[in-house]
Amino acid sequence: MMANYFADHIWLPHGWGEKVRVDVGAGRLLEVAESAEREGAEYLGRYVLPGMPNLHSHAFQRAMAGLAERQTNPEDSFWTWRETMYAFAGRIGPDELRAIAAQLYVEMLKAGYTHVCEFHYLHHQLDGKPYADPATMSLALIEAAREAGIGLTLLPVLYMTGGFDGRPLSERQRRFGFEVDAYLRLIEQLRKMENSTLRVGVALHSLRAVPEKAMRTVLESGLVDAAPIHIHIAEQIGEVQDCLALRNARPVEWLLDHAPVDPRWCLVHATHMTSVETRRLAETGAVAGLCPTTEANLGDGLFPLKTYLDAGGAFGIGSDSQISVSPVEELRWLEYGQRLATRHRNVTVSESSASVGENLWGDALFGGAQACGANIGTFEASARADLIVLDDAAPQLVARDAANALDTFVFAGNANLVRHVMVNGEWAVRDGRHRDEERIAVGFRKTVESLAQRA
Ligand code: NGQ
Ligand code: ZN
């Protein structure tokens, strides 16, 4: 079965293409033709973009968004937020995880994300014992992504210690813990399920949580030869200080010196880097996984974007703690953080375009797709057919042309301008409505109500 679509403008690898016709079959783009005739193809609208990859998500945290915004102590910090988050995580079993994730993924799709990397560490039962099937919680996420119709890169997380000193996991961390052998078996089991909308990579929670020897075993296991490898790194100053004290190097510096960091890698946050680390990271071809709304919400700090981009670094965006679920808001805050810090305007530009919106969207597509390890984020033959159609009847867009459409989409307005969303050749969202949103919302509501009662 082949379907044919036509739009006035489609975002192609070189920028906007005009009068573009695309042929879609078996979930893929078969042909993309510019300056084409519409003929019998379905007309989509004025502006069509590749869907945005979301490179960092902890799905369960969506259900606690807004519950950690009251001061409990003048010293409130990332670490006190983490205690609140752990207490909440302790109430989530497989049914809860599936219902929360399905709702979250519907919201992601409606906002323009068409693929998500789940950095998943809620593996075991509360006492730390594996479920009868150790993949139970992973399967809940896979099922949620299938229900919602979003592409998924599942990144089961290796989590072993409670700090750089190798201390054991705290009681609340016990359900995250894995020995390396059991972890690798989980990866092998899940790999068998891979298909056009599911990839399985690996994740090391952080340098705090994975001893060097275990890191080596995973990297040498043969299970990551061509798969994405994600790690949280240098998000908080406390982590930099501990790393300096125990490993005599800063986190990014240490990783670059001790691991074969290359384009398979995604370094999530990488907030606190010297300019030398920043340039070295850029040169590896790895992706910096930036989560601006979470990083702002948790008081992490600002990523050194300008130095990184000047060195040719790749980045993508993630919704992380789900305090916001919107690629537009992530990109806007990425740029605004830089403007506020430098007191300049229009920071994220490049030789190919002076438009900040075009650079942000285009760069995050490229880096996001790389971090997902999937053939997405681009309108080229053989890529997965993932696209979003902007609502060109919206007031913000009526008087815009292609030269400023992405700037308007990213910066102007709070109403969602995403009208239709396709993943793998199928419509997940039409006219702003997800195909199964009512049923999924009912399941979510029941779940959060029962979680509130158990609080
Ligand atoms: C996480 N989240 O794994 O969910 C972390 C907090 C930690 C963010 N860093 C826990 N945003 O880093 O130990
Ligand atoms: Zn995270």
Side-chain angles (χ1 to χ4, degrees):
M1 263 290 286
M2 196 159 80
N4 317 103
Y5 301 99
F6 183 88
D8 297 318
H9 305 279
I10 297 191
W11 186 256
L12 303 178
H14 66 74
W16 287 114
E18 281 186 42
K19 306 229 169 300
V20 188
R21 196 186 137 101
V22 291
D23 301 333
V24 173
R28 312 225 146 245
L29 301 173
L30 301 175
E31 210 184 314
V32 180
E34 289 181 74
S35 308
E37 296 297 323
R38 180 176 163 193
E39 295 171 345
E42 180 183 346
Y43 177 71
L44 294 179
R46 282 169 71 208
Y47 302 111
V48 173
L49 300 166
M52 183 58 70
N54 181 345
L55 58 61
H56 193 68
S57 162
H58 307 286
F60 75 91
Q61 291 176 17
R62 179 60 177 164
M64 66 167 275
L67 296 182
E69 309 300 324
R70 296 178 72 90
Q71 193 180 71
T72 52
N73 180 315
E75 298 300 308
D76 273 350
S77 68
F78 174 89
W79 306 104
T80 55
W81 167 84
R82 193 172 81 155
E83 286 308 315
T84 310
M85 185 273 279
Y86 281 172
F88 187 81
R91 290 186 247 140
I92 310 286
D95 295 338
E96 289 80 14
L97 183 58
R98 176 176 153 182
I100 294 166
Q103 174 66 28
L104 171 68
Y105 297 159
V106 166
E107 290 171 28
M108 284 185 188
L109 286 161
K110 289 169 86 165
Y113 289 120
T114 47
H115 192 102
V116 58
C117 295
E118 250 323 304
F119 196 103
H120 164 55
Y121 57 88
L122 234 50
H123 299 300
H124 308 308
Q125 303 179 68
L126 296 189
D127 58 3
K129 282 210 198 74
Y131 289 94
D133 178 353
T136 297
M137 294 294 268
S138 292
L139 296 174
L141 289 166
I142 291 172
E143 183 53 25
R146 198 197 54 75
E147 278 182 62
I150 197 168
L152 174 66
T153 296
L154 184 63
L155 302 165
V157 172
L158 180 61
Y159 203 122
M160 301 176 73
T161 56
F164 279 101
D165 54 5
R167 78 186 78 144
L169 300 178
S170 71
E171 198 173 314
R172 282 171 158 175
Q173 293 171 326
R174 263 194 316 209
R175 62 185 309 209
F176 316 156
F178 252 119
E179 292 304 321
V180 180
D181 289 349
Y183 173 74
L184 294 176
R185 283 198 297 277
L186 174 70
I187 301 289
E188 270 175 319
Q189 178 185 347
L190 294 167
R191 275 265 152 87
K192 298 194 181 103
M193 300 177 72
E194 282 190 320
N195 59 38
S196 62
T197 52
L198 175 65
R199 276 226 72 181
V200 178
V202 302
L204 311 173
H205 182 274
S206 51
L207 296 180
R208 295 175 254 135
V210 180
E212 178 175 0
K213 186 160 166 283
M215 175 182 92
R216 280 193 202 296
T217 309
V218 173
L219 296 179
E220 287 160 13
S221 67
L223 287 170
V224 295
D225 290 351
I229 309 167
H230 291 220
I231 184 169
H232 286 134
I233 197 154
E235 181 183 9
Q236 285 280 322
I237 296 288
E239 178 189 332
V240 177
Q241 287 166 342
D242 287 356
C243 193
L244 276 166
L246 280 127
R247 296 194 186 175
N248 207 18
R250 302 169 58 85
V252 172
E253 178 187 23
W254 187 90
L255 188 72
L256 295 176
D257 286 343
H258 292 85
V261 176
D262 63 19
R264 291 170 302 165
W265 287 71
C266 176
L267 275 65
V268 180
H269 308 302
T271 310
H272 299 289
M273 295 191 286
T274 61
S275 48
V276 173
E277 287 177 294
T278 308
R279 283 191 286 269
R280 282 185 68 193
L281 175 58
E283 280 159 21
T284 64
V287 177
L290 308 179
C291 309
T293 63
T294 295
E295 290 155 9
N297 186 269
L298 298 180
D300 290 340
L302 274 183
F303 180 80
L305 187 64
K306 178 98 174 67
T307 308
Y308 187 69
L309 292 178
D310 286 348
F315 74 84
I317 51 165
S319 61
D320 192 351
S321 68
Q322 333 294 355
I323 194 66
S324 167
V325 185
S326 159
V328 161
E329 199 180 6
E330 296 307 333
L331 294 172
R332 189 186 289 175
W333 276 102
L334 181 59
E335 171 71 17
Y336 281 171
Q338 305 298 315
R339 292 190 191 184
L340 289 163
T342 63
R343 289 181 255 136
H344 278 82
R345 300 195 68 251
N346 304 334
V347 177
T348 313
V349 293
S350 65
E351 276 162 29
S352 61
S353 173
S355 153
V356 178
E358 290 183 2
N359 280 289
L360 289 168
W361 195 270
D363 286 1
L365 284 175
F366 176 84
Q370 186 179 313
C372 294
N375 189 2
I376 56 175
T378 179
F379 264 89
E380 284 171 289
S382 94
R384 201 170 75 204
D386 288 8
L387 61 85
I388 67 178
V389 182
L390 299 188
D391 181 6
D392 49 51
Q396 296 97 310
L397 282 175
V398 284
R400 295 291 177 265
D401 55 25
N404 39 45
L406 265 163
D407 290 331
T408 306
F409 176 44
V410 172
F411 289 103
N414 296 310
N416 183 11
L417 294 178
V418 177
R419 181 161 180 215
H420 309 304
V421 181
M422 174 185 283
V423 179
N424 199 36
E426 288 176 29
W427 292 112
V429 174
R430 296 252 28 186
D431 290 316
R433 294 188 72 78
H434 181 271
R435 62 180 186 225
D436 204 11
E437 64 176 49
E438 285 87 2
R439 189 187 64 80
I440 289 171
V442 169
F444 178 73
R445 189 185 176 133
K446 278 195 194 134
T447 298
V448 286
E449 280 171 358
S450 84
L451 287 173
Q453 274 157 20
R454 275 184 274 156

